[in-house]
Amino acid sequence: VKQRAKGHSEFFSEEIQREIVDTKRTADDILRGIEQKEFISFYQPQFDARTHEIVGVEALVRWNHPTKGILAPSHFLGIADDLNVLGTIDGIILDRAIADLEHWNTLGLAIPKVAVNVSARRLNDRQLIDNLRTMKFRPGTVSFELVESVFLDETDEAISSNIEQIKELGIEIEIDDFGTGYASIVSLLKLNPKRLKIDRQFVAPVLISLEKRRLVSSIIDMGKSLGIEVIAEGIETMEQAQILKELGCDVLQGYAFAKPMTSVDLERFVEQHQWRQAS
Ligand code: C2E
Ligand code: MG
Ligand code: MG
Ligand code: MG
């Protein structure tokens, strides 16, 4: 028995050893990837539920890896955060998004604004505000998507002061994955966000669960009465879209309409969409 237990623990330590080596390798690779400008932005359009016009796009980071291809955030975001470079990646995506938006405007494409995801680290960064001041964008064309966990510590003066200054710069605040975190509704609404994004986990079952439908409906009604726009994300079918529209949701986003895509693919998508809208 003793023999087996020993073998067992050696097995685990080998496994853990391998994981540590893997993580270390990925970490080195991420730093190299940042140097090599391999982190790029995909964009997913968002649509007005009534007019079907494109009201904006969400920027979603991808790692254009030299051997592994295009990697989604789940492959690297956690390690990037541990490495303290998630803020750097957020900054790369914001720079890119602002430049791309400018480019789309010069092409005459109807893309009014871009939303970027902002990590807690970046929101806490002392240099964030100075950094934002140097950037050129028109007020109301850029928004920051923040998840609830960012606001967990209600007493954090630095965060709320940063958020006030961000708003003063003309950047809108959106609560991402609304309903999945542990922040109180009071603390979230104190921020006076421009938009709430209802998480996919509530959107997916609207057709089959009356309970989830009531929940989504009450979030939308709350938004309406407070003057906060509501977006549903992760809409995969036209049936889901129809229900959300009937419940009064303002903006729709999901695979049912368009997947996240490269900037070049988005240009083509928007051109065709504009053409269809016009005809
Ligand atoms: P999120 O901000 O909630 O973004 C929505 C995620 O759902 C994206 O995954 C998007 O590709 C995916 N999605 C969109 N429509 C559908 C749909 O109809 N069905 C399904 N199943 N999924 C859909 P993605 O791109 O893998 O990003 C995952 C998360 O990574 C994001 O969740 C966000 O929290 C984070 N993230 C992405 N880009 C950045 C970034 O630049 N900075 C930071 N800090 N986080 C980012
Ligand atoms: Mg988001
Ligand atoms: Mg989300
Ligand atoms: Mg999410």
Side-chain angles (χ1 to χ4, degrees):
V1 173
K2 213 175 172 187
Q3 196 63 31
R4 226 164 75 205
K6 188 170 169 253
H8 217 80
S9 78
E10 266 169 13
F11 171 77
F12 274 118
S13 76
E14 237 172 69
E15 177 103 320
I16 289 169
Q17 196 79 32
R18 201 159 39 232
E19 240 169 65
I20 292 171
V21 171
D22 272 359
T23 305
K24 172 81 172 72
R25 205 176 281 149
T26 307
D28 290 342
D29 207 18
I30 288 174
L31 298 177
R32 186 200 51 75
I34 290 174
E35 283 286 300
Q36 298 298 317
K37 304 196 192 310
E38 290 169 6
F39 290 88
I40 59 170
S41 185
F42 271 32
Y43 297 97
Q44 186 179 33
Q46 305 170 320
F47 301 84
D48 184 301
R50 272 156 305 175
T51 66
H52 303 136
E53 274 173 79
I54 293 172
V55 294
V57 294
E58 177 176 7
L60 294 155
V61 66
R62 295 291 182 266
W63 184 359
N64 186 9
H65 195 278
T67 58
K68 296 176 179 163
I70 303 278
L71 299 177
S74 58
H75 292 95
F76 58 85
L77 229 57
I79 298 174
D81 198 13
D82 293 342
L83 278 172
N84 216 345
V85 294
L86 186 50
T88 306
I89 293 177
D90 287 353
I92 293 169
I93 298 304
L94 177 62
D95 283 344
R96 194 65 250 162
I98 290 173
D100 283 338
L101 188 66
E102 175 76 32
H103 177 64
W104 298 327
N105 284 336
T106 59
L107 291 177
L109 296 172
I111 305 173
K113 58 187 170 205
V114 62
V116 299
N117 294 281
V118 176
S119 63
R121 274 193 204 278
R122 180 134 161 95
L123 199 62
N124 270 310
D125 187 343
R126 285 163 183 276
Q127 278 150 22
L128 175 64
I129 302 300
D130 287 340
N131 203 300
L132 292 175
R133 283 191 211 285
T134 66
M135 296 184 181
K136 290 198 179 63
F137 56 88
R138 273 173 293 118
T141 63
V142 175
S143 60
F144 281 3
E145 295 192 6
L146 309 171
V147 292
E148 291 177 36
S149 56
V150 164
F151 313 109
L152 268 189
D153 191 2
E154 280 182 58
T155 55
D156 199 331
E157 295 285 329
I159 288 187
S160 42
S161 132
N162 260 7
I163 287 181
E164 279 321 305
Q165 294 186 73
I166 287 166
K167 284 189 191 167
E168 280 163 21
L169 289 169
I171 296 172
E172 295 170 349
I173 299 295
E174 311 191 13
I175 310 294
D176 203 353
D177 303 353
F178 185 71
T180 63
Y182 296 94
S184 71
I185 289 201
V186 175
S187 69
L188 291 179
L189 298 181
K190 241 188 346 215
L191 296 165
N192 192 20
K194 176 85 179 180
R195 267 172 229 100
L196 297 179
K197 296 192 79 173
I198 307 178
D199 193 68
R200 179 159 58 93
Q201 81 179 71
F202 305 116
V203 170
V206 283
L207 282 171
I208 50 169
S209 160
L210 182 59
E211 196 192 333
K212 290 285 166 19
R213 186 143 78 230
R214 286 193 177 127
L215 179 70
V216 166
S217 174
S218 55
I219 294 175
I220 294 169
D221 291 346
M222 181 187 73
K224 287 245 176 314
S225 64
L226 295 169
I228 302 172
E229 238 179 63
V230 178
I231 303 188
E233 66 178 350
I235 298 174
E236 293 184 351
T237 69
M238 285 304 169
E239 288 82 4
Q240 289 170 351
Q242 185 57 33
I243 290 190
L244 285 152
K245 186 180 163 178
E246 281 164 17
L247 295 177
C249 192
D250 302 293
V251 179
L252 310 176
Q253 178 181 356
Y255 294 171
F257 306 100
K259 288 196 169 181
M261 58 189 107
T262 64
S263 166
V264 171
D265 284 343
L266 180 75
E267 286 168 20
R268 241 178 323 218
F269 180 91
V270 175
E271 262 168 24
Q272 283 168 9
H273 188 76
Q274 272 174 257
W275 183 79
R276 272 199 304 272
Q277 290 274 107
S279 60

